[in-house]
Amino acid sequence: MPHASEIQLKDYADAFDIVARIWDRDYSIWPEADDDADNDWLGWLELPSKLSQGAGIASQRVVESLNWATSCTVLGMGGSSLTPETLASMFHQHAPRLHVLDTVNPRAVRNHLNRIELSTALFIIASKSGTTIEPLALERIFRKELMVAGISDASSRFIAISDSESPLAQRAAAGDFLHLIQTPSNVGGRYSALSAFGMFPASICGMPVAEMAERAADMAELCREKSLHNPGLALGSFMARNALAGRDKVTILTSSSLQRFEMWLEQLLAESTGKHGKGLIPVVGEPILPRACYGDDRQFIAISLGSEDEAEIDAFQDHPVFRISLPDRASIAAEFFRWEFATAVASSIIGVYPFDQPDVEAAKASAGAILASDETSNAINPSALGDAINRLLRKPASGRYIAIAAYMPEAIELTEAFSNLRRAITLGTGVATTFGYGPRYLHSTGQLHKGGPDSVMLIAVTQDDEEFDLEVPGANYSLAQLSLAQAAGDVKAMTDRGRYAELAATKQDPIQEIRQIASSI
């Protein structure tokens, strides 16, 4: 039997033409492009060749100037943080050790403060726009903590990665940062993996950036081919044609070293394609289920690294499966490009413009209005989690999926508890589930939830964090208030669009509560 991707390519007569038109920067292959006519968002096509020339990589002089640092914490959201998160999980690092903080949960922030040595801590504020509320709030907190620790020149501990005209760049010119690392203005955040957002932290933390640059350049050349051997074209056509046939749940399975890569893929697919009622719905981190649990709305992509065991795929033999194998860890850079190209191809086939995010601002506006009311806690009344789950399970299930968003400190045991809950829901209903931590998901699947297919049922789960709360210096809110406002704001943005969403709260022992709910389904 021929490979599934070959069947899809033969069915799509204009597939080879898409390749040439992407490289020619012909935006007419995507609808709605005229609305964004003044902007060029295809700069990511050039990043592999520029990376091979050292663009985005720290110079030896900069690396040596940071030899005092034992830790490097990236403060960012979405595309600014998910690449460093992926790389930190894959590579052994020399000092400084790379951390990523993409949450405003006060417990998580306090945990991070306890994990690092402030006297030798370096912080990177990563924001393309220079206005992202989460990293800016965290920056204020860490600057204060450095001052309290007796480090008077706190600016010498901060590096900014941002576009050249952003507010962060302006602050850098005024001396607020040790360095400003400029990023290309024609590369959107979720397509910026091979820019300084990913490669600068990698280079100062001793990762093999030269090998990664070589792998990325090789992949870019392969993605120029008008043939079935074009890796990005094959993958993009596979995803899109299956989605058009009703299989829009792109279920991604990876071997152990690539599990954090799934979050990067989730953001790229969800935020690029989830709009105007269409979209590829990424399902990541899902526990393996019996074959009978998977409906005909599924397609599967299995990704493995080197000698690691491939994801078990026997349960999926009745569904379309696309397999990818990385020969070594440095090839993750090639995968960044393959998937970016594939997403551009898939967007053309399903008929969406991949470089905007028209619905992301809705949740931000709602959260801002709640914070401005000065009644953040009093105005929000979440349901008990068990009650919310029971109501959700009574909803019609056919073709729908359940998205769980946890505004809680990320932890292995908590993730496992939610994984068991996801398993119980799908075993009991046949409905696919997704899971993400807030506010991270707002910058990825949040666009899909509000703009993609009207098949999502969202439950945002909160936890009482007042005991661990941290005030944001110079702001009229604390981290706990910001987190709660973001959760409630997203639920409102969803319901304003006529979509099912509910805010729920856990009790004193959330892990035990989630386990009990799962066992009762």
Side-chain angles (χ1 to χ4, degrees):
M1 178 180 292
H3 194 283
S5 63
E6 294 180 16
I7 297 172
Q8 305 301 341
L9 285 172
K10 290 174 182 176
D11 288 346
Y12 190 73
D14 296 328
F16 296 158
D17 185 51
I18 290 178
V19 174
R21 292 169 70 185
I22 289 176
W23 286 103
D24 288 342
R25 285 174 159 76
D26 181 355
Y27 281 79
S28 67
I29 65 172
W30 300 292
E32 314 296 332
D34 289 344
D35 296 340
D36 203 22
D38 294 334
N39 296 305
D40 172 24
W41 294 115
L42 286 169
W44 54 273
L45 292 170
E46 303 165 353
L47 290 180
S49 61
K50 290 183 175 180
L51 183 61
S52 296
Q53 300 166 13
I57 296 174
S59 67
Q60 188 60 34
R61 179 185 62 82
V62 170
V63 172
E64 291 174 355
S65 73
L66 300 174
N67 61 10
W68 52 267
T70 59
S71 66
C72 171
T73 302
V74 174
L75 309 177
M77 297 301 299
S80 302
S81 61
L82 289 173
T83 304
E85 177 80 21
T86 297
L87 297 176
S89 72
M90 291 188 65
F91 292 100
H92 173 74
Q93 305 154 44
H94 306 291
R97 182 168 182 79
L98 182 59
H99 304 277
V100 177
L101 196 61
D102 59 351
T103 179
V104 291
N105 181 278
R107 300 186 197 219
V109 175
R110 286 188 182 275
N111 289 341
H112 188 70
L113 278 167
N114 293 331
R115 185 182 304 127
I116 61 174
E117 173 55 56
L118 268 178
S119 63
T120 53
L122 172 70
F123 299 92
I124 293 178
I125 311 300
S127 171
K128 178 178 174 63
S129 67
T131 60
T132 312
I133 189 172
E134 295 95 339
L136 294 181
L138 295 173
E139 179 198 355
R140 291 181 177 188
I141 287 171
F142 285 117
R143 281 184 182 267
K144 178 182 177 181
E145 293 294 330
L146 287 168
M147 296 291 287
V148 170
I151 300 170
S152 58
D153 185 13
S155 293
S156 67
R157 305 304 176 91
F158 284 86
I159 292 174
I161 303 180
S162 191
D163 282 5
S164 59
E165 303 298 323
S166 75
L168 278 181
Q170 296 169 10
R171 289 177 52 200
D176 276 1
F177 299 98
L178 179 63
H179 298 292
L180 169 67
I181 312 301
Q182 295 186 12
T183 50
S185 60
N186 62 350
V187 177
R190 58 189 175 275
Y191 290 83
S192 66
L194 299 174
S195 75
F197 283 120
M199 296 299 109
F200 182 83
S203 59
I204 67 173
C205 294
M207 298 181 195
V209 290
E211 289 87 346
M212 285 194 278
E214 181 181 346
R215 305 293 192 281
D218 290 345
M219 178 60 74
E221 286 304 306
L222 289 173
C223 287
R224 288 182 178 273
E225 293 185 10
K226 299 178 184 179
S227 76
L228 297 176
H229 301 293
N230 182 319
L233 179 61
L235 175 60
S237 182
F238 174 86
M239 291 190 293
R241 298 300 294 179
N242 279 309
L244 291 176
R247 296 181 178 272
D248 60 356
K249 311 301 188 303
V250 183
T251 307
I252 297 171
L253 310 160
T254 65
S255 56
S256 57
S257 293
L258 296 170
Q259 289 178 357
R260 304 303 279 184
F261 179 49
E262 294 180 10
M263 296 194 310
W264 184 88
L265 293 175
E266 181 181 51
Q267 187 217 13
L268 178 69
L269 291 178
E271 200 165 35
S272 298
T273 70
K275 57 201 73 169
H276 304 302
K278 302 178 181 181
L280 302 173
I281 301 169
V283 180
V284 305
E286 184 181 50
I288 301 296
L289 300 166
R291 183 185 306 176
C293 292
Y294 298 111
D296 58 7
D297 58 350
R298 297 276 194 147
Q299 56 174 295
F300 293 87
I301 301 178
I303 314 172
S304 61
L305 171 63
S307 60
E308 290 184 355
D309 292 338
E310 289 191 18
E312 177 57 54
I313 59 174
D314 287 347
F316 322 128
Q317 63 183 25
D318 299 329
H319 303 270
V321 179
F322 194 102
R323 297 172 179 83
I324 296 172
S325 179
L326 281 66
D328 52 42
R329 291 176 186 267
S331 294
I332 190 65
E335 291 308 307
F336 289 141
F337 190 87
R338 182 215 295 257
W339 280 88
E340 289 166 356
F341 198 89
T343 301
V345 169
S347 297
S348 176
I349 297 173
I350 67 175
V352 295
Y353 181 57
F355 306 118
D356 66 352
Q357 45 282 331
D359 301 290
V360 168
E361 291 300 321
K364 295 180 182 179
S366 295
I370 292 170
L371 286 174
S373 71
D374 292 327
E375 296 182 356
T376 306
S377 299
N378 296 333
I380 300 171
N381 297 299
S383 302
L385 178 58
D387 294 342
I389 292 288
N390 287 333
R391 281 192 293 272
L392 185 147
L393 294 179
R394 289 196 293 269
K395 297 291 180 181
S398 179
R400 307 187 82 176
Y401 71 101
I402 293 171
I404 303 172
Y407 285 80
M408 304 164 76
E410 185 172 357
I412 293 174
E413 193 175 12
L414 181 62
T415 302
E416 289 176 348
F418 275 114
S419 181
N420 289 333
L421 176 60
R422 294 176 66 184
R423 179 182 178 86
I425 289 172
T426 304
L427 284 172
T429 66
V431 175
T433 65
T434 65
F435 173 74
Y437 282 97
R440 176 193 291 151
Y441 84 93
L442 293 177
H443 300 260
S444 58
T445 54
Q447 167 62 42
L448 173 73
H449 295 160
K450 290 179 280 292
D454 188 12
S455 55
V456 61
M457 298 182 286
L458 172 74
I459 182 165
V461 187
T462 64
Q463 182 179 13
D464 183 0
D465 290 313
E466 290 188 7
E467 179 184 351
F468 303 90
D469 204 4
L470 287 164
E471 294 295 324
V472 179
N476 63 347
Y477 53 82
S478 67
L479 287 187
Q481 290 173 323
L482 174 58
S483 181
L484 185 58
Q486 288 180 312
D490 193 49
V491 168
K492 184 178 186 304
M494 292 281 290
T495 56
D496 284 349
R497 284 161 169 72
R499 302 195 168 195
Y500 185 88
E502 187 162 354
L503 186 67
T506 59
K507 299 175 183 176
Q508 292 300 313
D509 187 347
I511 292 174
Q512 183 62 28
E513 181 182 3
I514 294 165
R515 287 172 176 166
Q516 289 175 350
I517 294 171
S519 66
S520 69
I521 296 175

